[in-house]
Amino acid sequence: MSAQEEFGIRPDEVIIELPATPDASLYFIGHIRTPWKKRADCPKNARGSEAVCTVELDARYGDGLKDVETCSHLVLLYWMDKAPRNLMRQAPGHHGGAQHGTFALRSPVRPNPIAMSVVRLIKVEGTKLSVVGLDCLNGTPLLDIKPYLPSVDSVPEAVCGWRLRKD
Amino acid sequence: MSAQEEFGIRPDEVIIELPATPDASLYFIGHIRTPWKKRADCPKNARGSEAVCTVELDARYGDGLKDVETCSHLVLLYWMDKAPRNLMRQAPGHHGGAQHGTFALRSPVRPNPIAMSVVRLIKVEGTKLSVVGLDCLNGTPLLDIKPYLPSVDSVPEAVCGWRLRKD
């Protein structure tokens, strides 16, 4: 299956030309183990599953985990390496087929396919973290782990208007 | 001033060797305009200022903004290009001088210096977004704009234990 088919890209979606050269580089600092081996198996959103997933941090970064075990929730950033990067409007099937801008969607399809998920931390054992709240494919590359700080990260009253109109 | 001095790296902090080659590449999709020209001027956290900042998205990505104006809050990812990437334990001055793991901190110093901020959207004009809730330097490169979805992003009861003990 091509990436275009896999991600359901349609002929009327808006495709752009990306810059000729990139601007910065990333290191994959580990990988995420989940029960999902195909995109179709993944939960539609990160609260759609209570599955415990495993974040395997590479050993060289292990010292960076000091005090992480005191956090109830973490922000994980990870790399959606299978997603096309040149699509500016998308019509995700589960949002009724209407087109929305890439930056109004949480789709993995975006110029920098960095996904962000808030997860609940179950335990830390060495460089392995058990967490709940992921929806990504098994083997997804990890980019960052941050403490979730409700004082700056939690906005219960936030509204995403176009989604409300669909619900 | 060297990066080591600028970021206050101390002799007892843990420095690692990074991988020889990077794993993926980023495009800067725009830049952020803020009132802060030196790191010392930036607010200590993103709710420390009511300053209205401007996100300038490059024109080629403009189609991706469709429906973003219906969102009250956004997640911005941006690149802390001045930060060292090889430090696994850090002793930020404003946390009392004790060492914490990089992944238990929101410091810009991390293997992939991607910062994440939740901002309040004031208005969208063309490819310029006016937002409140940033604490970064003027000219910071933009990586991504996402809708903030309280159903998956808001966890008011989350706790970061080591920080509570300091407060």
Side-chain angles (χ1 to χ4, degrees):
Chain A
M1 193 186 291
S2 73
Q4 302 268 318
E5 287 166 323
E6 169 101 24
F7 284 89
I9 298 173
R10 299 166 190 210
D12 59 342
E13 291 175 322
V14 176
I15 292 176
I16 60 160
E17 185 166 355
L18 290 166
T21 53
D23 297 296
S25 295
L26 294 169
Y27 302 113
F28 296 162
I29 64 169
H31 288 84
I32 300 175
R33 300 292 157 207
T34 77
W36 308 295
K37 302 209 168 12
K38 296 198 308 272
R39 190 152 188 263
D41 299 335
C42 295
K44 279 297 170 211
N45 77 62
R47 295 219 179 154
S49 168
E50 280 295 304
V52 177
C53 302
T54 306
V55 177
E56 298 180 354
L57 185 69
D58 289 354
R60 78 168 76 214
Y61 306 105
D63 280 323
L65 290 177
K66 179 171 163 16
D67 301 319
V68 165
E69 77 282 356
T70 71
C71 299
S72 68
H73 293 74
L74 302 171
V75 174
L76 299 184
L77 301 181
Y78 45 98
W79 188 247
M80 308 304 279
D81 54 349
K82 306 218 167 13
R85 300 173 68 163
N86 60 349
L87 205 62
M88 286 302 108
R89 293 199 181 167
Q90 304 169 52
H94 61 288
H95 285 307
Q99 275 201 350
H100 304 283
T102 287
F103 302 120
L105 291 165
R106 292 290 278 262
S107 158
V109 176
R110 48 211 317 121
N112 294 304
I114 303 168
M116 186 275 277
S117 286
V118 178
V119 299
R120 180 160 54 86
L121 179 62
I122 307 293
K123 64 178 174 184
V124 182
E125 288 181 307
T127 54
K128 290 190 186 179
L129 287 68
S130 301
V131 304
V132 170
L134 286 172
D135 57 6
C136 61
L137 286 173
N138 185 48
T140 296
L142 178 69
L143 298 177
D144 200 8
I145 302 169
K146 299 179 190 292
Y148 183 91
L149 305 180
S151 59
V152 290
D153 298 327
S154 180
V155 186
E157 72 276 15
V159 172
C160 180
W162 75 261
R163 287 172 62 105
L164 284 183
R165 292 194 300 266
K166 307 280 171 186
D167 293 343
Chain B
M1 194 186 290
S2 73
Q4 302 266 319
E5 287 167 323
E6 170 102 24
F7 284 89
I9 297 173
R10 300 166 188 208
D12 59 342
E13 290 176 323
V14 176
I15 293 177
I16 60 160
E17 185 166 354
L18 290 166
T21 52
D23 297 297
S25 294
L26 294 169
Y27 302 113
F28 297 162
I29 64 170
H31 288 84
I32 300 175
R33 300 292 158 207
T34 76
W36 308 295
K37 301 207 168 16
K38 297 197 309 272
R39 191 152 188 262
D41 299 336
C42 296
K44 278 296 169 210
N45 77 62
R47 295 220 178 152
S49 167
E50 279 295 305
V52 177
C53 301
T54 306
V55 177
E56 298 180 353
L57 185 69
D58 289 354
R60 79 168 74 213
Y61 305 105
D63 280 322
L65 289 177
K66 178 171 162 25
D67 302 320
V68 165
E69 77 282 356
T70 71
C71 299
S72 68
H73 293 73
L74 301 171
V75 175
L76 299 184
L77 301 181
Y78 44 98
W79 188 247
M80 308 303 280
D81 54 349
K82 303 209 168 22
R85 301 173 68 163
N86 60 349
L87 205 60
M88 286 301 108
R89 294 200 180 166
Q90 305 169 52
H94 60 289
H95 284 308
Q99 275 200 351
H100 303 284
T102 287
F103 302 121
L105 291 165
R106 292 291 278 263
S107 159
V109 177
R110 47 211 317 119
N112 294 305
I114 303 168
M116 186 275 278
S117 285
V118 178
V119 299
R120 181 160 53 87
L121 179 63
I122 307 294
K123 65 177 174 186
V124 183
E125 288 181 307
T127 54
K128 290 190 186 181
L129 288 68
S130 301
V131 304
V132 170
L134 286 172
D135 58 4
C136 60
L137 286 173
N138 185 48
T140 296
L142 178 70
L143 298 176
D144 201 9
I145 301 170
K146 300 179 190 293
Y148 184 91
L149 306 180
S151 60
V152 290
D153 299 327
S154 179
V155 186
E157 72 277 15
V159 172
C160 180
W162 75 260
R163 288 172 61 105
L164 285 183
R165 292 194 299 267
K166 305 280 170 189
D167 292 345

